[in-house]
Amino acid sequence: MQFRKTIPAIALGVVSLTAPLAAAGTSTAAAAIEAAAAESSQVEDATLTDSNGKPSGALSAKAASQAGKVFSTGEITGKRFSSIGLSWKKESAVDDGLTAETRIHRNGAWDSWREVPLELDEGVAEEAKRAGAPAFYTDDADGVEVRFTSPRGGLPQDLRLSFIDPAQSPASSSSDRQPRSAQAGQPEVKLRKDWGADETLADPGYKTQPSIKAAIVHHTVTGNNSYTQDQVPQIINGIYVQHIKVLGYGDFPYHFVVDRFGGIWEGRKGSIEMQPGTAIPGILGGHASGFNTNTFGVAMLGNFEPNNSEGGEDTGPDPTPGEAMVKSLADLLAWKSGQYQLNPEGSTQLVSAGGGGTNPHPVGTVLDVPVISSHRDVNMTACPGAKLYEMLPDLREQVADRLG
């Protein structure tokens, strides 16, 4: 995967990711763009700041705005990718007011600027090697420009822009395992191979845990609420590759994903099979910082926070999940609640494993939470979006009705 940076006359430098490529326009001093090529061809990384948070590689400072100091990559074009990711050193401080925006080049034209959320839905999970933003779905694109605005003029350490092309996942290495015979109350759940998981990327074996006490509902904030049914596997695969190759997770963060058409997809390996009293009594996820133990995570594919406050496509004033999506979520929660004998309208206690970041609860803090909770019930986040959050009381009733 190669990229070319188009640089206006006022910006200096030549981009080289996998090979040196010419910059459009005239420059008076050449500056190299460092790119840490990922081990897999599915990801190409461009360095944006050094170990001290100073602009490096593709990134350069621009004139300050009323909101703060502005930094831009300039236009970077090249071969196709379908998602981008931003990541930085896990221990790095991030200015509270830091924002990122991007515009994407596809079909021969540049899209309008859109905000990129800088906070992962699940926070920085214990297993992560780097901190970062969610995979931002671009569809089939061949160019990008990213700009950052920092009120204090600071940037994260070792900031990287990742170009993600999960379409390159080799089908031959996808899982061919089959779930056990359909269990009582089990809805149709698509396997990991259905969204193209390259099983050579994930940690081998299963990450087991002894029990499940609660479900935690999320949204993915992947930048696009109007995706087509055909795009769903590619979006899910982008989340997978971003978390493993860019952020250093061992596997997919959520146990399950539900799309807007009502499709239910297995995320983390073993989530379909997990059941009390079996060899896989539970699967440990990476979906809620400090509260992965004794929970399973379900992510709704989209952004349900009104007025685009978390970035990506404009969500408008009422981004409410559709009927098909909510029905499948209720079916899924009823199935797993029945297996683990959970009371969907009850409450339970979870113990914080700490971790900081979006988790404000020190190690050992005991929280009383609903059995069907949302991410904001345990961490400091807008997830799963206000419109989905306000539906949770009715959702709990629907799950209880299914369980009789």
Side-chain angles (χ1 to χ4, degrees), residues 170-252:
S172 60
S173 67
S174 295
S175 170
D176 59 359
R177 86 179 206 284
Q178 295 294 327
R180 297 171 180 169
S181 301
Q183 303 151 12
Q186 178 181 334
E188 179 184 354
V189 182
K190 300 183 191 320
L191 299 175
R192 285 160 63 93
K193 68 178 182 180
D194 294 322
W195 51 260
D198 180 352
E199 298 293 358
T200 65
L201 300 182
D203 288 344
Y206 296 101
K207 295 178 180 292
T208 61
Q209 61 173 332
S211 65
I212 298 292
K213 298 171 63 176
I216 297 181
V217 178
H218 303 255
H219 66 173
T220 59
V221 198
T222 36
N224 187 329
N225 274 12
S226 57
Y227 53 83
T228 67
Q229 200 159 13
D230 289 342
Q231 290 172 331
V232 172
Q234 190 178 50
I235 297 173
I236 296 175
N237 207 349
I239 296 171
Y240 176 67
V241 173
Q242 155 84 346
H243 277 77
I244 293 179
K245 300 303 296 181
V246 177
L247 301 176
Y249 281 57
D251 199 349
F252 200 86

Side-chain angles (χ1 to χ4, degrees), residues 16-80:
S16 174
L17 293 186
T18 56
L21 294 167
T26 303
S27 63
T28 58
I33 284 195
E34 296 181 2
E39 295 177 2
S40 168
S41 61
Q42 298 169 31
V43 177
E44 190 81 35
D45 287 343
T47 298
L48 301 185
T49 67
D50 63 17
S51 59
N52 295 314
K54 302 298 183 183
S56 177
L59 199 65
S60 60
K62 304 298 180 185
S65 70
Q66 290 183 344
K69 195 169 184 179
V70 179
F71 305 85
S72 175
T73 63
E75 296 175 358
I76 302 176
T77 59
K79 291 187 178 181
R80 188 185 73 184

Side-chain angles (χ1 to χ4, degrees), residues 325-384:
M325 194 177 209
V326 176
K327 178 185 180 302
S328 290
L329 176 60
D331 290 343
L332 172 62
L333 293 175
W335 167 44
K336 285 300 175 185
S337 294
Q339 286 184 330
Y340 288 94
Q341 298 184 357
L342 306 179
N343 176 4
E345 296 181 291
S347 63
T348 189
Q349 291 187 329
L350 299 177
V351 180
S352 173
T358 59
N359 179 19
H361 307 291
V363 176
T365 302
V366 178
L367 291 188
D368 289 307
V369 299
V371 167
I372 296 178
S373 292
S374 73
H375 191 193
R376 67 169 64 178
D377 292 316
V378 294
N379 287 172
M380 295 177 62
T381 173
C383 178

Side-chain angles (χ1 to χ4, degrees), residues 116-185:
V116 179
L118 290 179
E119 180 182 293
L120 273 172
D121 164 48
E122 67 274 6
V124 183
E126 297 91 323
E127 67 184 87
K129 305 298 187 297
R130 289 176 60 79
F136 190 90
Y137 184 64
T138 62
D139 200 355
D140 291 330
D142 61 5
V144 67
E145 181 175 5
V146 182
R147 66 188 181 196
F148 301 87
T149 302
S150 172
R152 300 180 181 179
L155 293 169
Q157 297 169 302
D158 191 19
L159 176 64
R160 300 176 195 172
L161 168 64
S162 297
F163 301 88
I164 303 169
D165 186 11
Q168 297 181 24
S169 298
S172 60
S173 67
S174 295
S175 170
D176 59 359
R177 86 179 206 284
Q178 295 294 327
R180 297 171 180 169
S181 301
Q183 303 151 12

